[in-house]
Amino acid sequence: MNARLRRRLEMAARVRDFLRAHQMDGVGQGLGLGKLEELLERAENLATQQRTGVAVERSAVKQRQEIRRTLQPKILGYLSVVGAVAATQNAELAEQFRMPPPNATRQALLTMSRAILQKATVQKQQLVGLGMSEHVLDELATAVGEYEQTLEATSAGRREHVGARADLKAIAAEISKQLRLLDKVVRYRFGDNPELMGAWESARNVVGPVPVKNAPVADGSQTPKAA
């Protein structure tokens, strides 16, 4: 959530608290407050969804980086050496076990790793006879599976936070519309009360509550500017 949207939601929460503290005809559950509370609840849920999506994506990226450090230089590096040895008897094997380049994309690394796993599984007995560890293919299968899961988690996390961000913008627009309605009702009800109007202006200030030194005096000699 960007700072501007966060400040707007914080302002809406202050307005909600003001209305709860000053119940009156025309600004209760029947008009304004109930709708605002509903919108804020939806916004809070979306904000949680957005934070969760970002956390899932970041966690998946970190995990994928760790898996790649094991998969690419260690496991695939080992199999490329095995392939080079096997190539002395079968030249085609050298190409089949060629190690992906260090700058291979995520999808390219996954595709090449799957292909190597498939070919090595078919040639397992021959490769083991040449000295390949019997466990390396299990390690490769596990690493490939975990790597693929991180890609899926990244996509899912991104969908969550991107979708939530779009919905939050829509909710924020609805909240702004609701606040304009409430402003008219509050001014009608409390327009002759400088103290409450000062509190209202402070609540609906997007930046934050107005400092005490700018608050209107009891006799209304200082009128706060509209936000």
Side-chain angles (χ1 to χ4, degrees):
M1 184 190 304
N2 61 45
R4 181 178 180 182
L5 180 55
R6 182 172 60 253
R7 289 194 298 269
R8 186 166 295 278
L9 293 180
E10 290 171 352
M11 175 267 289
R14 293 195 302 271
V15 167
R16 175 201 59 197
D17 294 342
F18 175 93
L19 296 175
R20 285 175 175 175
H22 304 286
Q23 290 291 332
M24 58 187 178
D25 295 338
V27 194
Q29 296 296 329
L31 177 63
L33 178 56
K35 179 64 173 178
L36 179 61
E37 289 176 328
E38 176 188 340
L39 291 172
L40 277 172
E41 182 178 358
R42 290 168 59 189
E44 290 168 0
N45 291 336
L46 287 169
T48 298
Q49 177 183 328
Q50 184 180 23
R51 288 193 297 269
T52 300
V54 170
V56 168
E57 183 177 5
R58 289 176 177 173
S59 177
V61 169
K62 182 178 180 180
Q63 184 181 6
R64 183 165 57 252
Q65 291 171 340
E66 294 174 354
I67 295 172
R68 184 163 185 156
R69 283 193 290 268
T70 299
L71 173 63
Q72 197 161 3
K74 183 180 178 181
I75 300 176
L76 296 181
Y78 173 77
L79 285 173
S80 68
V81 173
V82 172
V85 173
T88 59
Q89 297 183 14
N90 185 342
E92 294 181 359
L93 293 178
E95 183 62 25
Q96 290 179 357
F97 296 106
R98 181 170 58 87
M99 186 173 172
N103 62 345
T105 65
R106 295 174 297 180
Q107 193 59 48
L109 177 60
L110 178 61
T111 299
M112 295 182 73
S113 297
R114 283 174 176 166
I116 291 173
L117 175 61
Q118 181 180 10
K119 294 168 185 174
T121 300
V122 173
Q123 303 289 339
K124 181 177 180 179
Q125 294 304 318
Q126 179 183 353
L127 296 173
V128 169
L130 294 172
M132 183 186 79
S133 169
E134 294 186 13
H135 304 294
V136 69
L137 296 186
D138 292 335
E139 294 178 7
L140 176 57
T142 298
V144 168
E146 292 176 347
Y147 191 85
E148 186 172 16
Q149 289 175 4
T150 67
L151 292 177
E152 294 171 353
T154 296
S155 297
R158 184 177 296 115
R159 285 195 302 271
E160 284 291 307
H161 74 75
V162 169
R165 183 171 65 243
D167 290 343
L168 268 173
K169 290 181 179 178
I171 292 295
E174 290 188 52
I175 287 176
S176 295
K177 180 178 179 180
Q178 191 67 19
L179 291 178
R180 288 193 293 271
L181 169 65
L182 289 167
D183 182 58
K184 290 180 173 60
V185 178
V186 170
R187 289 182 183 282
Y188 169 78
R189 180 64 177 82
F190 292 140
D192 296 331
N193 189 323
E195 183 177 355
L196 285 182
M197 287 307 299
W200 171 249
E201 294 293 356
S202 179
R204 60 188 293 272
N205 188 314
V206 176
V207 176
V210 177
V212 176
K213 66 180 182 179
N214 291 332
V217 295
D219 63 2
S221 60
Q222 181 180 355
T223 303
K225 295 181 179 179

